[in-house]
Amino acid sequence: MRFGLVPYDLGLEKSAQHADCYQQFLEQAVLAEETGFDSVWLGENHFTSTAVNSSAEALGAAVATVTEGIRIGIIPALGLNNPLYIAEDVAVLDSIANGRVIVAARTPYAHECASLGINPQEIRGRFIEAFDVLRKAWAPSSFSHQGTFWRIPGQDFSGNPFAQGVTKVNVVPKPAQLAVPLWVFCWGSSTIDLASSLGAPWLGPSVDSVQELAHKHETYNAVFGNSSMARGNLLSPVIREVYLGETLEEARADAERGLLELYRKYREAGLFAGPVDDFSRLAGDRFIIGDVDHVIDEIGRYQREAGINYLICRMQFPGMSHDKAKAAIKFFGQAVIPEFRMDSFPREIRKHSRRAESGEQR
């Protein structure tokens, strides 16, 4: 089991200035590296007040300058503009990060397409074509692309003495990695078919239930999981709301109010259709909230029932302080991650008191 952290969903804390949110994000990214997480993740959102990071590559570069070895995962919206822009930005980011970038591309949301005048019926086609361009652009050689939505090079250079005969382009710099990991963020049911058809790992969203994740896992494996490329090398990552307390009651008290507010926002945005006022019902299938034993057992359940082997944790919710979130991140790194890295150690050695380690006051 690998572990990632989504340190801060920028904009959820109403009282925070945006500049403060970015600084908190960087602090939590550094803490994630120090406490044993494999990756830190950041999304890209446009034209919404609830998640104000509009450039995953730019913020990823900031993370790269304050960390050394942790992977940097970004979730860009693919298909909104010419994919060469994303290809170039990711190549620069990966060079700055010395080969630590993971890209989990998502399809654009309806309000993003509406704001930019993009026909929503074209989203799937634009995504597939842009995905193809990224793969070509990061390859060692020059390339051309003649698609439905983009032509690269984009014009006929005949008659231009400085570009006469140019039929290909070459993205420079190339990424530091020979192959940048390129996944598909599978928010809806249709995107799991998209991931399998593209032969790319899929990243499950926080709103899917355990049963929905298991169904996606089975659907994906039925199409792609038995291929020679995939065999023995499949990743099944998912984003979850995760919070660790010294008791179940403490963890719920810290997280409940903020998580219900978060899911009300998801419902308003059309990203979640279920009831949003029953914490216990939501928690049973979507949250990993509790004490050390409960959280470890729940992660094991995700492994067994949904085939998940990469858990990307969000540990800060609306209304939660930065200090409390940092304490939860550190506690998780001390008490849970070792359970999946040092199986032979007695469990008593791996348990820690969050307040004893962090100095947190209730």
Side-chain angles (χ1 to χ4, degrees):
M1 176 67 74
R2 303 181 194 180
F3 294 94
L5 179 73
V6 180
Y8 197 86
D9 204 350
L10 299 173
L12 285 177
E13 181 54 65
K14 298 184 179 67
S15 62
Q17 297 295 318
H18 291 166
D20 294 335
C21 292
Y22 288 111
Q23 290 305 313
Q24 292 177 6
F25 180 101
L26 294 178
E27 287 182 30
Q28 293 180 22
V30 170
L31 183 59
E33 180 169 60
E34 292 173 348
T35 52
F37 285 81
D38 298 282
S39 59
V40 61
W41 288 80
L42 48 147
E44 171 190 316
N45 291 274
H46 300 278
F47 320 121
T48 173
S49 61
T50 59
V52 298
N53 182 44
S54 57
S55 176
E57 296 85 7
L59 187 53
V63 174
T65 63
V66 297
T67 59
E68 295 181 359
I70 195 168
R71 285 277 194 172
I72 301 169
I74 62 172
I75 308 175
L78 198 57
L80 289 175
N81 57 9
N82 192 311
L84 273 181
Y85 289 119
I86 295 178
E88 290 181 327
D89 286 347
V90 169
V92 171
L93 169 58
D94 198 53
S95 296
I96 294 171
N98 197 25
R100 292 187 279 140
V101 174
I102 304 170
V103 178
R106 67 167 176 84
T107 55
Y109 300 134
H111 75 273
E112 294 172 329
C113 292
S115 298
L116 294 173
I118 295 173
N119 182 348
Q121 300 301 316
E122 297 178 350
I123 288 177
R124 185 181 177 92
R126 291 172 70 92
F127 182 92
I128 293 172
E129 191 170 320
F131 205 91
D132 183 42
V133 170
L134 293 187
R135 285 174 162 168
K136 292 177 178 177
W138 295 331
S141 57
S142 301
F143 77 100
S144 63
H145 175 84
Q146 306 300 316
T148 303
F149 304 101
W150 296 284
R151 293 171 57 87
I152 303 170
Q155 67 181 71
D156 181 0
F157 290 105
S158 60
N160 183 337
F162 299 102
Q164 189 77 33
V166 172
T167 59
K168 296 183 178 182
V169 297
N170 193 12
V171 167
V172 178
K174 294 298 181 184
Q177 301 174 83
L178 291 177
V180 176
L182 184 56
W183 305 351
V184 176
F185 181 47
C186 292
W187 190 277
S189 57
S190 63
T191 47
I192 194 66
D193 297 324
L194 192 58
S196 58
S197 67
L198 292 169
W202 61 283
L203 171 59
S206 58
V207 298
D208 280 355
S209 67
V210 178
Q211 292 77 17
E212 289 167 333
L213 290 173
H215 177 70
K216 284 184 175 180
H217 184 73
E218 292 171 2
T219 301
Y220 180 88
N221 285 352
V223 177
F224 183 66
N226 292 321
S227 72
S228 59
M229 186 189 307
R231 197 172 297 121
N233 195 35
L234 281 177
L235 286 176
S236 297
V238 66
I239 298 174
R240 289 287 95 168
E241 322 295 352
V242 179
Y243 192 78
L244 182 63
E246 292 188 28
T247 66
L248 286 164
E249 294 75 20
E250 178 191 81
R252 176 166 177 166
D254 285 349
E256 180 172 2
R257 184 174 180 180
L259 280 173
L260 291 178
E261 180 181 342
L262 178 63
Y263 268 69
R264 282 192 286 270
K265 292 180 183 295
Y266 283 160
R267 181 159 182 155
E268 291 170 3
L271 300 175
F272 182 71
V276 294
D277 296 318
D278 187 340
F279 181 85
S280 296
R281 181 174 178 179
L282 285 170
D285 275 334
R286 293 175 177 86
F287 306 156
I288 302 178
I289 308 289
D291 60 15
V292 173
D293 289 337
H294 177 78
V295 167
I296 289 171
D297 289 344
E298 280 294 284
I299 294 172
R301 182 166 77 99
Y302 276 81
Q303 287 180 302
R304 294 188 306 274
E305 297 182 11
I308 300 303
N309 57 21
Y310 203 140
L311 181 66
I312 299 171
C313 310
R314 178 159 48 194
M315 295 188 177
Q316 185 167 12
F317 318 115
M320 182 178 290
S321 72
H322 175 49
D323 287 340
K324 188 176 285 291
K326 287 197 300 181
I329 292 166
K330 187 173 183 179
F331 189 26
F332 187 90
Q334 293 167 332
V336 175
I337 291 179
E339 177 73 16
F340 297 88
R341 303 273 169 81
M342 299 182 290
D343 293 341
S344 61
F345 277 36
R347 178 169 289 189
E348 289 73 19
I349 294 177
R350 299 192 293 269
K351 285 190 179 181
H352 295 273
S353 165
R354 181 176 67 178
R355 290 191 291 275
E357 294 289 342
S358 67
E360 178 192 1
Q361 302 295 317
R362 291 290 291 174

